[in-house]
Amino acid sequence: MSSARSLVPEENFLCSICLSVFNKPVSTPCGHNFCLDCITNFWETKHTAVKCPLCNETFDSIPKLRVNTVIAEMAAKLKRAVQENPPTTTEQAGNGNVLCGVCQGAKLKALKSCLVCFVSYCEAHLEPHTKISALKKHKLIHPVENLESRICKTHDEPLEFFCGVDHMFICGSCKDSDHKSHKTVTVEEEAQMKRTQLGIDMNDTDQMIRVRQQKIQEIQDSVEASRNNAAKALSYSMPVMTAVVEYIKKSQAELTEVIETKKKKIETEAEGFIKELEEEIMQIKQKNLQLNQVSVANDPFIFLENFLSLTITPRQVKDWSDVTLNSNVYAMEGAMTKLVTSVKREISMLCDPDLKKMEQHAVDVTLDPDTANPWLIVSEDGKQVTHGDRKRNLPNKPERFDHVLNVLAKEGFSSGKFYYEVQVKEKTHWDLGVAKESINRKGDIRLSPQNGYWTILLKKGYGFTANAGPAINLHVREMPQKIGVFVDYEEGQVSFYNVDSRAKIFSFTGCNFTEKLFPFFSPCANDGGKNSAPLIITPIKYNS
């Protein structure tokens, strides 16, 4: 004998209001069947006119309804058959799936949610929405929980649109009233636009990660090249130094220390770059994870909710395209060739072993603001000077430079030896040295020993000159970041050193000093910001 489920299609015993198997089925005068409680509640709460929910036929008054015993008996048999042979594929609540709100007992996974019925349906219980003309008009969406959040609280209509002006979900009535003049699109269209925007942002972050990973590799390659070049420099210097062992014994330790210091400096700088890059990558990855978490939502509503709740902060990252490491700072073959015949002269230009002795004569130098040109800005501690953006209104004292951009130190020296260091990092133009007390400080001044100045000059970022009158062009192996100035008053000597490489740049010798000497500084014009870095008098760390 055929079962109750096979005799008559199950949808014939479903109430079109609750979409469940009939419970106390009654028939309206127009011939349609509903659950007694469903049709009674429909007439009492939904409409002022009494009409059929399916065909919309209107009745003068609420009909007197009686339970159809035949249909009720068939519906009861169908319920028993379902209980005896439940569907094999079921889902349990809490596993992340939306379950059918109509299934009795074990519930099937919902296929759609209806924004009119406020119910989610499995494939079987969704069938009336595909066959009954009145139900076909209902708004179906991908199955979601909390359907009430998809309904406009003002108009009780589905939130099918998105206002681009107020950035909010709206229903059709909102669209035609409060948001009539605003730019509105469907939720699906807005979600697609935001999804496209999200994809672009994700591609950007991916590219930023790739660029930084490439920069890490570039830095690591530079470090490796630095190590190789350092090894080559050391292996080349050893036999040459051995040929002049008496002098080289004193300088080899200095040279090795310089190379090792440079290598460590490059490695330290590289480690800093890599750490910063890895931190940026982590920051971008965290941002990317947020974007990925938003992008996985298939439902446009949830996607837009997640996207709108996403706090997009500007990425605190920098442009690494110009960041490089100079790994080839150890070239010294040329100087080594000349070293055999002119050891003392050449070795001092390469790495003067006497510089440490000079450091023992370090003095504390402070800039004298009373001598500074009005365009110069001297720091409160007197350790920095730079060219300002405007000329200050200062008294024209006799000791002040009124035309050229010069300043002297407060401290003067009339005997003995003294040494100080000045940071010139990131500057393209400067003058440094010493000047005698009686120099002319007014009008245009020519720097030369004849005029009482013993200075060297960096011009246009690459041209080193000794202001010897006539000037002498100087060759340096690498651009100094810090200049050391040493003066031996009695010997009549003023020497300039690249502090990092401990190499001598130039020496004025045979000078005849007869009056007090003052450290001299000129940061020169800032050149539209290109030379805005200050000259900085730095403390000296002497290691015996």
Side-chain angles (χ1 to χ4, degrees), residues 16 47 68 97 99 123 128 138 142 155 177 192 231 251 294 305 317 455 476 532-533:
S16 58
H47 298 279
N68 188 320
N97 294 316
L99 304 183
E123 184 176 5
H138 290 189
H142 291 293
H155 304 104
S177 56
Q192 184 57 45
S251 63
V294 173
E305 277 190 330
V317 295
T455 62
V476 293
S532 60

Side-chain angles (χ1 to χ4, degrees), residues 211-231:
V211 169
R212 279 149 184 79
Q213 288 173 335
Q214 291 172 358
K215 182 57 68 174
I216 288 177
Q217 185 61 50
E218 179 184 333
I219 292 173
Q220 290 173 336
D221 291 343
S222 296
V223 172
E224 184 61 27
S226 171
R227 291 179 180 141
N228 293 336
N229 290 334

Side-chain angles (χ1 to χ4, degrees), residues 57-177:
E57 180 177 339
T58 304
F59 310 117
D60 294 334
S61 61
I62 296 178
K64 186 176 182 180
L65 302 174
R66 293 181 179 179
V67 176
N68 188 320
T69 57
V70 175
I71 296 178
E73 183 179 350
M74 294 294 291
K77 289 181 179 180
L78 179 60
K79 288 181 179 179
R80 288 194 295 273
V82 170
Q83 293 173 355
E84 293 172 359
N85 300 285
T88 57
T89 305
T90 61
E91 296 286 346
Q92 298 297 322
N95 63 353
N97 294 316
V98 179
L99 304 183
C100 177
V102 180
C103 290
Q104 301 297 321
K107 295 181 179 294
L108 292 171
K109 182 178 178 180
L111 185 63
K112 293 288 184 179
S113 295
C114 179
L115 292 178
V116 178
C117 304
F118 301 115
V119 179
S120 297
Y121 301 107
C122 64
E123 184 176 5
H125 288 113
L126 182 66
E127 191 170 352
H129 278 78
T130 64
K131 294 183 176 181
I132 301 174
S133 58
L135 299 180
K136 288 181 180 180
K137 298 178 181 179
H138 290 189
K139 176 69 174 179
L140 299 177
I141 62 173
H142 291 293
V144 295
E145 297 179 350
N146 192 22
L147 283 166
E148 290 78 5
S149 65
R150 307 296 181 100
I151 301 302
C152 177
K153 294 181 180 179
T154 303
H155 304 104
D156 292 327
E157 296 180 17
L159 297 171
E160 301 179 80
F161 301 95
F162 186 83
C163 176
V165 176
D166 296 328
H167 299 285
M168 61 183 294
F169 298 100
I170 59 175
C171 67
S173 296
C174 292
K175 178 176 178 290
D176 296 333
S177 56

Side-chain angles (χ1 to χ4, degrees), residues 78 101 131 142-143 173 187 192 195 205 217 231 297 334 356 358 384 433 484 526-528:
L78 179 60
K131 294 183 176 181
H142 291 293
S173 296
V187 169
Q192 184 57 45
R195 196 178 297 276
T205 58
Q217 185 61 50
K356 283 189 174 180
M358 300 174 190
Q384 300 186 30
N526 61 28
D527 192 19

Side-chain angles (χ1 to χ4, degrees), residues 253-272:
E254 299 293 327
L255 180 60
T256 301
E257 184 178 341
V258 167
I259 294 173
E260 292 293 338
T261 300
K262 290 180 182 177
K263 182 179 70 172
K264 290 179 181 179
K265 182 179 180 181
I266 291 174
E267 290 176 351
T268 300
E269 187 176 8
E271 289 173 358

Side-chain angles (χ1 to χ4, degrees), residues 324-336:
T324 58
L325 285 179
N326 181 13
S327 60
N328 190 23
V329 294
Y330 311 96
M332 57 188 67
E333 291 85 347
M336 289 297 179

